[in-house]
Amino acid sequence: MRQDKIRNFCIIAHIDHGKSTLADRIIELAGTVAKRDMEDRILDDMDIERERGITIKLRPVNMSYVVDGEEYTLNLIDTPGHVDFTYEVSRSLAACEGAILIVDASQGVEAQTLTNVYLALENDLEIIPVINKIDLPSADVDSAKAEIMDIIGLDPDGCPLISAKEGIGIDEVLRQVVKKLPAPRGDEDSPLKALIFDSVYDNYKGAISMVRIKDGSVKAGDRIKFFASGKEYDVTEVGVFCPHQRPVEVLRAGDVGYIAASVKNVKETRVGDTITLASGGASEPLPGYKVAESMVFSGIYPTDGSRYGDLKDALEKLNLNDASLNYEPEVSTALGFGFRCGFLGLLHMEIIQERLEREFDLEIITTAPSVSYIVHKTDGEQLTVSNPSLLPPASTIEYMEEPITTAEIYTPPEYVGAIMELCQDKRGVYKDLTYIDASRVKIVYELPLNEIVYDFFDALKSRTRGYASLDYSIKGYERSDLVKLDMLLNGDVCDALSIIVHKDKAYGRGRLIAEKLKNVIPRQMFEIPIQAAIGGKVIARETVKALRKDVLAKCYGGDITRKKKLLEKQKEGKKRMRQIGTVEVPSEAFMSILKLDSDD
Amino acid sequence: MATGLYIHIPFCVKRCKYCDFCSSLKTADYQRSYINALLSEMAHISRTYPEVDIDSIYVGGGTPSSLYAGGISEIFEGIRQYFRVDSGAEITIEANPESVRGRLAEFKEAGANRISLGVQSLSDDTLSLIGRAHDSTVAKDAIEATLSTFSNVSVDVMLGLPMESIEGSVSTVERLLDYPITHVSAYSLKLERGTPLYVDRANYSFLSDDDQAKCYEEVVDLLRSRGIIRYEVSNFALEGYESRHNLKYWHRQDYIGLGASAHSHIGEIRYHHTSDIDAYILSPKRRYKRALSIDDILAEYFMLGFRTTEGVRLSSLRDIGIDVFERYRAPLKKWNKCLNITENSISIKDEYLYCMNQIAVDFI
């Protein structure tokens, strides 16, 4: 049977355990890319991915490999490693029958890996553990095997011992992929069911769906239907990724590839949707994905208000291949028209900001991240608020709930004290502490997400010299004593600077933000009072003194060109400022209020 | 067409430690070859602009008084040979205290009616620190001598010189007012990259910007109490003694600049010469030219006009078809509190003049 010769798999690994390197080696060995065309991290084609050494987007590659004289088609679907992108991972898992789990020979099994392993197991994927980096002097294969057994519960016997970097053991990995992973079991004669696991926009071909064909087959000329919208299109091309698009005649059950059908609107090719044939198609769609839930929210505004339209287009395009990004228009009195965006986590937020600036050449202002709160009003109404400026008046609020996480922090033992102090300071509730081995401790705390999105990562990093890592999952909502902290510039509330904060923290944070703003807002023609207030009550005040001198020196002998250049430079600088009431505020002020670690 | 004439003399007895301007220490023979170059440029320029009437002349530097004896006379002979000079023209020569004494008769003879003396400070410590060639006694003698020959004398002072307190700067101005001078130019020291003072800046204390502003305000008040009124950010005069030549820069009138590094503004084209004196002597007719766009012109009207207490003359803008109140609606509204707006001019209110860039950038 044809499908017996197909293996669809992904790679699960902790960041930096060598996933992209292994993917590169596999593609070298089995793929269609000539060695001379290979560049490092071939699947990570976003600049940000290469620079940060992380994978954000999943992407498939089609290869062929011979085992025992039989040729197999291998589809590798690359997956992101970071916890923020669990949603992306679940999408690739649904397109696979198996997964390679990379365990670093010197570092063992990591928290984030576990999350994805559990996801894979939930999706009934077969898992092949692989121990990587055996060439390192610090490699400890026996401990790694023991952890695979103890922590994950997989049999480590016979697992490939490899060095992706040195190209050792890659053959054995592919051999096990063929031998141990199940072949797809779709029904080629059933009506077409193709799961969209990603989509990209192509200027010539329109919105292209990346699909896993579960049942049936599809070829150019077929008329297809998207389940979600019910819209029909004529297929113009089907193909596979090698890793670039290569047209094929037909995609059949078990295949991973793409379908182009001149779809104009990217929203049609919704990730998680099922494609079938317009006539004689399937009656039921495949189970889709759990909709990714935004955990972190922030306002994104163009620095130059006239570029609102460009920002909108950019978000639309990003949303196309990052369905986990949510956004809706919002208006701020301070910043004008922009968007409230929902992200999976802080890293996701940073990535989106960076992509907007780099790929779309936009200068943006990002407001301090918020989480979403459940507000119970005195009149019994219940609402969810993720934008502090939309919080109803305190007098109408009965009580509020905030999201609480279960946070696991992995650290060398010497930092345990510092971390516990930090967690305590962040309203953490101690849960557990276990020594994984002599050099690693796992600390579990329940931490409000609201504290994590402020400055927890930075504080954790600086207190542990970068050695500790954090993973968190949402435990649920808990009642909490929260207040809205407003910042007033020259007497007017600047809505973009408002935050929701625990009552006990409000005073200290208000003072710090006022100080911070005093330092980032340049002196201007008039004195600027900066106040922090809760309700109508001012709890902190700073003043930016009036500017006294801002004048060009003498124009010697009628030479005005130099002076003019200086003024023009000054004007350029002003363009990065936002006029809020009578005050000019630099765009970085809105984010800088985050960097509040009282240690600095 | 009434035009200003600027002549640059790029020579000094000694180079000051804060100076990044075009000046150099040279022999009399070298200076002669420079004057010859100036004269040949004059001939060329007078043919290029046969229509001009000169109503202000400013010989600046450098130190014009450091030229060899007779050098200034040769320049003025050239000017009168090549240009029509109005009988009532304002004719200023810059001079430094250490070299002015022996030149006064020659200046008078040449037709000068205004002397601008580079005193800078009356503190001996400060003067020696910034590398001036004179001390306070020489300065005071020079002022007296100049006033005995000329009735219209302007004095340059610098505020916020290294190691000087606010009181120190103010006291220099106070002592200057013992003399019947008509005009004061008071500049804040600006450290220019590459100057000896810039290189050594860590060894000295300087007034903060706030203290410079305070010092400046005290000087403005002091001068006003003696009837010497600010008419531009750094320039003060008894009524009727405002420098006609300098006002041409700020109101964007035409002026012709001759000599190394000199700048011209003629018919909305700006020109400048090389600041390399050797290169100028070799080819004095070579000028670098830049035609101004309408945006350049408007930006200049505001950045320069705002420096004056009279402000931007709206007639100049109307002449080129600009409806100021329409085109600048937004910045006019934004800065309404800081501006004096009339039918004929827009100026920055006194109390905000020292922060004029804040306002000007919104008009460029």
Side-chain angles (χ1 to χ4, degrees):
Chain A
M1 209 181 138
R2 198 187 67 93
Q3 289 183 66
D4 289 341
K5 297 288 164 59
I6 299 175
R7 297 292 181 273
N8 297 319
F9 67 103
C10 58
I11 305 175
I12 297 173
H14 183 68
I15 287 179
D16 198 37
H17 281 192
K19 181 163 63 71
S20 293
T21 316
L22 177 59
D24 286 353
R25 289 297 96 77
I26 290 176
I27 295 167
E28 250 173 48
L29 204 61
T32 41
V33 184
K35 182 111 184 180
R36 69 186 147 77
D37 292 335
M38 280 297 287
E39 40 186 330
D40 277 356
R41 308 182 63 95
I42 193 161
L43 294 182
D44 293 346
D45 54 22
M46 273 192 254
D47 284 349
I48 304 175
E49 293 183 317
R50 289 213 171 116
E51 278 166 31
R52 295 200 177 198
I54 56 174
T55 300
I56 299 163
K57 294 301 301 172
L58 48 96
R59 40 177 74 66
V61 57
N62 174 288
M63 300 166 290
S64 65
Y65 192 67
V66 177
V67 172
D68 298 340
E70 299 273 0
E71 190 176 349
Y72 291 84
T73 297
L74 306 183
N75 287 309
L76 164 62
I77 299 176
D78 198 16
T79 58
H82 191 273
V83 62
D84 268 11
F85 302 107
T86 302
Y87 171 71
E88 296 266 338
V89 175
S90 72
R91 286 157 56 184
S92 47
L93 296 180
C96 301
E97 278 79 36
I100 297 172
L101 165 67
I102 303 182
V103 175
D104 185 307
S106 62
Q107 294 185 57
V109 177
E110 303 267 353
Q112 289 160 359
T113 323
L114 271 181
T115 314
N116 290 340
V117 169
Y118 292 140
L119 265 176
L121 293 173
E122 274 172 34
N123 280 271
D124 296 327
L125 262 57
E126 194 65 39
I127 295 175
I128 302 171
V130 163
I131 296 176
N132 190 23
K133 303 199 186 180
I134 56 159
D135 57 311
L136 292 184
S138 58
D140 184 349
V141 172
D142 289 339
S143 301
K145 280 188 171 176
E147 283 191 28
I148 291 171
M149 177 72 109
D150 298 343
I151 301 176
I152 307 178
L154 290 174
D155 179 6
D157 272 354
C159 85
L161 305 179
I162 69 164
S163 163
K165 194 166 145 241
E166 301 297 327
I168 300 166
I170 312 301
D171 268 316
E172 181 55 23
V173 173
L174 289 180
R175 198 184 156 74
Q176 292 203 7
V177 165
V178 167
K179 292 291 179 194
K180 291 193 171 169
L181 297 187
R185 287 278 170 261
D187 184 352
E188 239 175 76
D189 300 323
S190 290
L192 172 68
K193 274 188 183 176
L195 175 70
I196 306 177
F197 62 83
D198 206 352
S199 60
V200 284
Y201 194 81
D202 182 296
N203 283 335
Y204 303 102
K205 300 175 188 170
I208 294 174
S209 307
M210 297 191 191
V211 293
R212 161 67 197 274
I213 311 289
K214 292 286 189 179
D215 291 319
S217 65
V218 60
K219 58 184 186 305
D222 284 348
R223 189 157 182 83
I224 53 165
K225 185 177 88 176
F226 289 84
F227 259 97
S229 64
K231 293 221 170 126
E232 297 179 7
Y233 295 92
D234 291 322
V235 175
T236 55
E237 182 181 312
V238 298
V240 295
F241 297 95
C242 298
H244 305 292
Q245 294 168 16
R246 195 183 69 194
V248 296
E249 223 162 89
V250 60
L251 288 176
R252 293 194 176 89
D255 285 343
V256 171
Y258 65 89
I259 299 175
S262 298
V263 180
K264 292 280 174 302
N265 193 338
V266 298
K267 286 177 185 151
E268 291 293 319
T269 56
R270 222 188 60 202
V271 171
D273 193 13
T274 303
I275 297 175
T276 190
L277 292 177
S279 61
S283 52
E284 290 290 321
L286 294 160
Y289 302 105
K290 199 173 66 177
V291 174
E293 207 176 324
S294 297
M295 295 314 305
V296 175
F297 301 83
S298 82
I300 293 184
Y301 293 82
T303 305
D304 173 358
S306 67
R307 298 199 66 191
Y308 172 80
D310 295 337
L311 176 59
K312 184 167 177 251
D313 290 348
L315 286 169
E316 235 164 58
K317 291 214 173 90
L318 285 181
N319 186 229
L320 167 65
N321 66 9
D322 181 356
S324 54
L325 166 68
N326 292 312
Y327 64 98
E328 55 186 54
E330 82 174 357
V331 185
S332 151
T333 38
L335 298 174
F337 291 98
F339 296 91
R340 174 109 320 222
C341 299
F343 309 97
L344 301 171
L346 281 179
L347 179 67
H348 187 212
M349 180 176 90
E350 271 178 49
I351 300 280
I352 294 291
Q353 285 164 7
E354 223 171 299
R355 291 186 70 186
L356 284 171
E357 292 189 334
R358 285 200 200 182
E359 294 172 28
F360 299 93
D361 197 24
L362 284 163
E363 274 190 50
I364 54 170
I365 297 174
T366 312
T367 63
S370 169
V371 303
S372 69
Y373 300 91
I374 298 173
V375 180
H376 298 267
K377 292 176 66 179
T378 46
D379 62 5
E381 195 191 340
Q382 180 183 324
L383 45 111
T384 305
V385 172
S386 63
N387 178 351
S389 67
L390 297 180
L391 193 69
S395 59
T396 67
I397 296 174
E398 175 83 37
Y399 66 95
M400 286 168 71
E401 291 178 274
E402 67 175 327
I404 304 293
T405 68
T406 301
E408 294 178 1
I409 299 165
Y410 292 80
T411 178
E414 60 263 40
Y415 301 116
V416 166
I419 292 172
M420 292 181 69
E421 199 184 320
L422 173 66
C423 290
Q424 224 67 48
D425 182 51
K426 299 292 177 188
R427 301 191 282 133
V429 176
Y430 172 80
K431 285 288 157 188
D432 190 26
L433 186 149
T434 36
Y435 275 77
I436 296 172
D437 55 40
S439 62
R440 291 184 68 74
V441 179
K442 178 171 103 170
I443 309 171
V444 183
Y445 263 87
E446 283 180 12
L447 277 171
L449 183 60
N450 143 328
E451 298 290 344
I452 293 180
V453 304
Y454 279 118
D455 57 351
F456 192 83
F457 279 111
D458 288 345
L460 184 66
K461 253 186 262 160
S462 75
R463 283 172 202 221
T464 63
R465 295 167 50 215
Y467 277 108
S469 63
L470 166 79
D471 187 19
Y472 62 87
S473 55
I474 301 297
K475 176 179 164 264
Y477 275 77
E478 281 179 17
R479 186 167 171 159
S480 177
D481 201 357
L482 299 160
V483 291
K484 185 169 87 148
L485 178 67
D486 286 321
M487 299 306 299
L488 287 75
L489 299 179
N490 203 18
D492 297 324
V493 172
C494 176
D495 61 355
L497 290 171
S498 297
I499 57 171
I500 291 171
V501 58
H502 191 267
K503 202 174 169 191
D504 295 346
K505 295 268 174 185
Y507 177 77
R509 202 160 272 161
R511 202 165 37 82
L512 280 169
I513 294 177
E515 252 170 50
K516 198 90 193 179
L517 286 174
K518 183 194 166 187
N519 294 330
V520 294
I521 296 177
R523 293 171 64 182
Q524 292 164 39
M525 202 68 114
F526 307 99
E527 183 178 287
I528 306 163
I530 298 170
Q531 292 158 301
I534 298 171
K537 191 175 164 238
V538 173
I539 56 165
R541 185 193 157 110
E542 294 282 344
T543 305
V544 179
K545 284 197 292 178
L547 186 67
R548 298 289 305 279
K549 177 177 187 240
D550 184 14
V551 65
L552 296 174
K554 181 177 183 175
C555 297
Y556 281 116
D559 172 13
I560 67 141
T561 42
R562 259 171 71 191
K563 309 295 170 198
K564 192 161 165 231
K565 276 195 190 123
L566 286 173
L567 262 191
E568 275 161 0
K569 222 172 132 192
Q570 195 169 343
K571 191 180 173 71
E572 277 307 304
K574 257 198 165 182
K575 277 191 186 157
R576 284 187 289 277
M577 310 266 252
R578 260 314 176 95
Q579 181 86 26
I580 293 175
T582 51
V583 183
E584 274 166 352
V585 182
S587 38
E588 65 266 25
F590 299 93
M591 271 306 269
S592 73
I593 65 170
L594 273 189
K595 313 280 179 204
L596 286 180
D597 195 355
S598 34
D599 292 350
D600 68 24
Chain B
M1 192 173 46
T3 300
L5 183 65
Y6 175 79
I7 291 170
H8 190 69
I9 306 299
F11 307 116
C12 285
V13 179
K14 186 179 175 191
R15 194 166 172 115
C16 304
K17 289 188 177 166
Y18 55 83
C19 180
D20 73 331
F21 205 41
C22 180
S23 79
S24 166
L25 319 172
K26 292 289 181 187
T27 62
D29 277 348
Y30 187 90
Q31 293 182 356
R32 273 194 185 88
S33 60
Y34 181 78
I35 302 275
N36 285 334
L38 266 180
L39 293 171
S40 78
E41 193 192 356
M42 276 184 210
H44 172 70
I45 288 290
S46 68
R47 286 193 297 272
T48 313
Y49 308 106
E51 302 298 315
V52 301
D53 288 314
I54 304 297
D55 68 345
S56 75
I57 299 172
Y58 197 103
V59 184
T63 313
S65 57
S66 72
L67 267 188
Y68 60 88
I72 289 290
S73 307
E74 289 167 30
I75 291 169
F76 276 86
E77 276 163 32
I79 292 174
R80 291 180 201 283
Q81 180 186 342
Y82 294 114
F83 298 98
R84 272 195 309 281
V85 181
D86 288 356
S87 57
E90 174 193 274
I91 300 175
T92 307
I93 299 177
E94 270 185 357
N96 275 349
E98 73 281 359
S99 52
V100 71
R101 210 168 239 286
R103 294 286 183 273
L104 288 165
E106 183 187 346
F107 290 178
K108 188 88 183 173
E109 185 69 20
N113 50 29
R114 187 173 180 271
I115 300 296
S116 173
L117 269 182
V119 171
Q120 316 309 356
S121 171
L122 287 177
S123 150
D124 287 336
D125 289 346
T126 307
L127 287 168
S128 111
L129 194 85
I130 60 175
R132 294 293 292 192
H134 66 271
D135 60 20
S136 63
T137 314
V138 171
K140 285 185 270 190
D141 287 352
I143 299 171
E144 276 174 30
T146 307
L147 281 165
S148 69
T149 314
F150 291 90
S151 59
N152 190 1
V153 175
S154 172
V155 174
D156 279 6
V157 291
M158 292 182 93
L159 308 178
L161 285 167
M163 313 301 277
E164 235 181 29
S165 61
I166 297 179
E167 296 74 36
S169 291
V170 173
S171 96
T172 286
V173 178
E174 210 154 25
R175 280 183 284 160
L176 282 175
L177 292 173
D178 292 344
Y179 304 95
I181 55 179
T182 56
H183 187 282
V184 172
S185 296
Y187 295 101
S188 291
L189 173 71
K190 179 159 186 297
L191 279 179
E192 296 285 358
R193 235 169 242 280
T195 59
L197 201 59
Y198 180 87
V199 173
D200 284 347
R201 65 194 182 284
N203 298 327
Y204 304 116
S205 64
F206 295 91
L207 290 184
S208 66
D209 273 8
D210 281 5
D211 283 343
Q212 282 186 44
K214 197 158 174 246
C215 176
Y216 172 77
E217 277 161 22
E218 286 191 24
V219 167
V220 170
D221 290 346
L222 174 62
L223 289 170
R224 191 196 303 115
S225 72
R226 307 294 182 87
I228 300 182
I229 309 297
R230 175 170 63 180
Y231 67 101
E232 191 261 358
V233 174
S234 304
N235 285 278
F236 306 78
L238 287 174
E239 199 187 339
Y241 285 90
E242 297 84 4
S243 165
R244 183 189 296 170
H245 185 83
N246 283 345
L247 282 167
K248 286 186 194 297
Y249 298 152
W250 303 313
H251 290 305
R252 303 192 69 256
Q253 291 161 332
D254 283 358
Y255 50 89
I256 293 168
L258 306 179
S261 83
H263 288 245
S264 306
H265 175 235
I266 309 160
E268 295 307 7
I269 298 174
R270 291 200 177 271
Y271 303 88
H272 72 273
H273 282 294
T274 173
S275 55
D276 178 334
I277 305 171
D278 291 336
Y280 175 76
I281 292 172
L282 277 174
S283 41
K285 292 173 199 166
R286 170 175 295 169
R287 297 190 296 178
Y288 299 91
K289 170 178 169 176
R290 198 167 72 86
L292 300 176
S293 68
I294 185 74
D295 286 344
D296 290 333
I297 292 169
L298 292 173
E300 288 185 11
Y301 270 120
F302 284 98
M303 70 170 266
L304 297 168
F306 273 160
R307 295 184 69 88
T308 65
T309 50
E310 181 191 345
V312 180
R313 293 176 177 168
L314 300 187
S315 57
S316 316
L317 296 169
R318 284 193 194 109
D319 288 349
I320 54 173
I322 299 297
D323 179 347
V324 176
F325 297 103
E326 178 58 37
R327 188 177 178 119
Y328 296 97
R329 188 195 298 265
L332 285 173
K333 185 171 169 233
K334 176 176 171 188
W335 295 109
N336 185 43
K337 266 203 283 189
C338 303
L339 297 172
N340 296 309
I341 302 172
T342 72
E343 189 94 328
N344 301 315
S345 68
I346 299 171
S347 63
I348 294 176
K349 286 184 180 166
D350 281 355
E351 59 268 43
Y352 304 113
L353 195 57
Y354 214 48
C355 291
M356 62 160 284
N357 288 0
Q358 290 282 310
I359 302 175
V361 291
D362 286 330
F363 286 84
I364 67 170

